[in-house]
Amino acid sequence: MSHYTLLLSNTRLIAFHLEKNQLLEHAHFALDDAGKEAFEGYLEVWKEAVFSLLVDVVEEDFQLESIPHLGRSDRNALLARRLDQNYRTTPYRRAFVQSLAKSGGQDKVLMSALTLVPPIDAIVNALLAKKIVLQGIYSAALLAGEMMHKSGLGLEHYLLVSFTSGGGMRQTYLAADGLKFSRVSSLPEDEDLQDAVRLADVIVLEALRARQYLSTLRLLGRDDKLQLAVVAPAGLDCQSAIDEHLAKSGEAAQFVVSNVPLNLLAQKLRLPPADSMLNLLCSWLELHPPANHYGQARHLIHATWRKRGIALRWGSFACLILAMLWSALLVQEAGDIQASINQSLKRTAQIDERLRHFGHLLKQSKASDPAAMKGAYELYTHELLTWPSVEPPAQQVSQILLDFPELVLDELRWNSGRAPPDPAAVQVAEEGASAPVAAPVILELSGRVEPFDLQYRRALASVERLSQRLSRLPGVQVKALILPLNTSSEVGLEGKLVPPDSKRVDFSLRLSWEQKAP
């Protein structure tokens, strides 16, 4: 939505719009019946926009009061009664607690109100009639104090001097805890705002009156200096003229003058360039809208519904994102469950296939014969269940052979089994009901020594060291079947013919494991 700022002065109503980092005057209206009719036609065209009302009029009152320190609900009730007493005729009022005291002390409160009711009512009612969003009703004096506080210029306890669109000069006294008072004084009709000398005379005259008023309110001591922060029209520097006028009047010791150029202020606040303080306020209001000053709940009803709608849309968007994330998690979990189900079905199918195969074997083996059933059971428990694996002993031997690079393994034989059982032993086993013993494992290693240079002693030593290492394995018995010996030029001790020029030296070791019962 587009945002427009309505600036109400004592003479006219101006609509501003910020476009391409430049504040443009969109339309202006007189404060009469013709202007009211033109404004209603303007709203008909821009009924989808968001409006803020900035009021810069003389009829704005400020009062500083002290109230007892109370709880929140009691304090709000007391402030509501005070506002009814002080500003009964206007709904555009507010009370702001500037400082809270401790228990038993006095809280400092700024009460203010816009007493020029008819023009404001006409604008607000026209907006409400067309159901246009009114973001807030703002005071130029209060908004200037908030904006200057965020400018970072380092000003404290100063009198801000600026100029209004109706040919007036606004003086606003700002302290660390906020605005203390603000008033608009009229300039002479023939006053030239580009004449620094004449403008300095008016500023000094009004500053002396303001200082006397601040002393009356006990906001400024008689010997305290008053800092003047002058926001002069664009391109005008009044500081030297003000200093000269104060020196001539003998009041220089009571003031500290600071010139605040508009371009510097705009740069500090990151606002587009402007030729007046009010234009800076309009830009600030569009870019950084503060909390509402004077608008009541019924004035801002459409803005409230708009905020709720935006919150509802964002909430719906967040719920949609959460629902999508939740759905993704559910889909992932469902995929995992489906994969687990598929795996279970696959295992079930394998079991079913094994059962079918087992049933087929039962039919072929005449399983109805008890002797056949018993034989199958004994075959399974005494042979298949206890049948050893070659992998563990082979891994153990492989690890040991890594330490003997000179021995090359050519052949590894693995066998397991038992001799036919003795019937008497079987009868004893059945009576004792002992657990079946696993079949023994036998590995035969055959290889050669490389390189071999007829050094039989060295070759024999390597094979013996290997035999000793292997015998250290748990439950292993090592027996040398062939050793690298040759004491004859024609026949080896192993009973084989050895050619005189052969470089091959054979060895063969048998390793036996006695398996434990499962």
Side-chain angles (χ1 to χ4, degrees):
M1 284 186 173
S2 301
H3 186 276
Y4 292 86
T5 299
L6 301 174
L7 175 60
L8 176 64
S9 65
N10 289 97
T11 57
R12 60 179 179 170
L13 176 67
I14 307 174
F16 288 98
H17 176 55
L18 195 62
E19 185 176 349
K20 295 180 180 180
N21 202 34
Q22 185 177 3
L23 188 69
L24 303 177
E25 184 177 320
H26 207 240
H28 61 274
F29 312 93
L31 301 181
D32 52 17
D33 292 339
K36 179 180 178 182
E37 187 174 340
F39 179 63
E40 291 177 352
Y42 173 80
L43 293 181
E44 188 66 29
V45 177
W46 300 99
K47 61 171 55 178
E48 299 298 327
V50 177
F51 287 86
S52 297
L53 178 59
L54 178 61
V55 182
D56 182 34
V57 295
V58 176
E59 295 84 353
E60 184 174 11
D61 185 63
F62 299 91
Q63 294 184 21
L64 287 173
E65 294 197 13
S66 298
I67 62 172
H69 181 73
L70 302 171
R72 181 185 295 273
S73 58
D74 294 336
R75 182 173 66 244
N76 291 340
L78 176 59
L79 292 177
R81 290 197 299 270
R82 291 286 182 91
L83 287 174
D84 285 338
Q85 293 172 2
N86 297 339
Y87 306 112
R88 186 179 300 274
T89 60
T90 175
Y92 308 108
R93 59 196 183 186
R94 75 169 220 165
F96 180 73
V97 180
Q98 292 187 334
S99 63
L100 291 172
K102 296 181 180 180
S103 180
Q106 296 285 315
D107 296 338
K108 302 298 181 181
V109 179
L110 174 67
M111 295 189 177
S112 60
L114 296 170
T115 57
L116 186 67
V117 177
I120 302 176
D121 275 346
I123 296 170
V124 172
N125 291 335
L127 291 168
L128 291 176
K130 298 187 180 299
K131 298 182 179 180
I132 297 176
V133 176
L134 176 62
Q135 187 170 258
I137 302 174
Y138 301 93
S139 161
L142 294 172
L143 189 62
E146 295 173 5
M147 187 181 72
M148 292 297 293
H149 178 69
K150 295 184 178 181
S151 65
L153 294 176
L155 299 174
E156 293 183 2
H157 299 281
Y158 60 98
L159 185 67
L160 178 65
V161 179
S162 59
F163 297 89
T164 68
S165 58
M169 183 177 70
R170 178 176 289 278
Q171 301 171 83
T172 304
Y173 183 69
L174 299 167
D177 53 357
L179 184 145
K180 298 303 180 182
F181 94 96
S182 181
R183 68 187 183 96
V184 177
S185 56
S186 299
L187 296 176
E189 294 184 359
D190 59 343
E191 187 67 38
D192 184 8
L193 294 181
Q194 296 301 320
D195 189 343
V197 176
R198 294 194 60 183
L199 201 59
D201 294 343
V202 177
I203 292 174
V204 171
L205 178 62
E206 295 297 330
L208 290 172
R209 294 175 181 174
R211 192 185 189 289
Q212 184 177 3
Y213 179 68
L214 291 172
S215 299
T216 303
L217 295 178
R218 296 182 180 179
L219 294 175
L220 197 69
R222 293 185 178 275
D223 298 330
D224 294 339
K225 290 186 177 183
L226 176 61
Q227 185 174 11
L228 289 178
V230 181
V231 183
L236 189 65
D237 186 359
C238 300
Q239 183 171 356
S240 58
I242 294 173
D243 290 338
E244 184 177 351
H245 187 94
L246 289 173
K248 289 180 180 179
S249 62
E251 304 289 344
Q254 298 182 3
F255 293 92
V256 176
V257 182
S258 300
N259 185 48
V260 182
L262 283 170
N263 58 350
L264 175 62
L265 189 56
Q267 182 180 358
K268 288 284 188 179
L269 296 169
R270 297 181 179 179
L271 298 176
D275 56 1
S276 69
M277 184 68 169
L278 286 174
N279 286 0
L280 280 181
L281 292 177
C282 291
S283 299
W284 178 262
L285 195 56
E286 291 208 20
L287 294 175
H288 311 284
N292 165 67
H293 292 162
Y294 291 121
Q296 305 301 310
R298 62 185 180 87
H299 302 147
L300 312 179
I301 182 64
H302 299 299
T304 302
W305 283 112
R306 175 175 175 268
K307 291 179 181 178
R308 290 177 180 176
I310 292 174
L312 183 60
R313 285 196 295 271
W314 279 106
S316 302
F317 181 73
C319 291
L320 178 61
I321 295 297
L322 291 176
M324 292 175 64
L325 293 175
W326 182 254
S327 300
L329 291 175
L330 290 179
V331 169
Q332 182 180 1
E333 185 175 355
D336 295 340
I337 294 174
Q338 186 62 42
S340 178
I341 292 174
N342 293 338
Q343 188 69 19
S344 299
L345 291 176
K346 184 178 179 181
R347 288 197 297 268
T348 304
Q350 292 175 352
I351 295 173
D352 291 341
E353 180 63 26
R354 292 176 63 183
L355 288 175
R356 284 194 296 269
H357 181 65
F358 183 70
H360 179 68
L361 293 178
L362 285 177
K363 291 179 181 179
Q364 293 181 348
S365 62
K366 300 179 180 180
S368 58
D369 184 3
M373 291 286 289
K374 182 179 180 180
Y377 171 75
E378 291 179 351
L379 175 63
Y380 176 75
T381 56
H382 289 274
E383 300 297 337
L384 298 180
L385 187 63
T386 61
W387 197 257
S389 173
V390 71
E391 184 176 354
Q395 288 180 347
Q396 294 174 348
V397 172
S398 176
Q399 292 294 326
I400 294 177
L401 284 174
L402 292 176
D403 297 333
F404 296 87
E406 71 276 10
L407 300 181
V408 179
L409 185 64
D410 292 328
E411 185 178 6
L412 184 145
R413 296 178 183 175
W414 175 84
N415 58 73
S416 179
R418 302 184 182 89
D422 185 7
V426 172
Q427 181 67 27
V428 173
E430 289 178 353
E431 293 175 357
S434 60
V437 179
V441 175
I442 297 175
L443 284 181
E444 290 188 5
L445 311 178
S446 298
R448 64 185 185 274
V449 180
E450 291 290 351
F452 182 64
D453 53 358
L454 301 180
Q455 296 293 329
Y456 289 98
R457 188 186 300 273
R458 184 182 304 170
L460 181 60
S462 296
V463 175
E464 287 179 348
R465 283 191 291 107
L466 175 61
S467 178
Q468 291 174 2
R469 285 286 301 277
L470 293 173
S471 63
R472 296 174 189 170
L473 293 175
V476 177
Q477 295 180 1
V478 181
K479 181 178 181 181
L481 302 179
I482 300 176
L483 293 174
L485 296 175
N486 192 357
T487 58
S488 173
S489 61
E490 295 181 356
V491 181
L493 293 180
E494 66 278 11
K496 291 184 180 179
L497 289 177
V498 179
D501 57 348
S502 175
K503 295 183 179 180
R504 180 180 181 86
V505 178
D506 292 331
F507 67 90
S508 180
L509 301 177
R510 175 179 293 170
L511 285 68
S512 301
W513 276 265
E514 287 296 335
Q515 300 294 320
K516 294 182 180 180

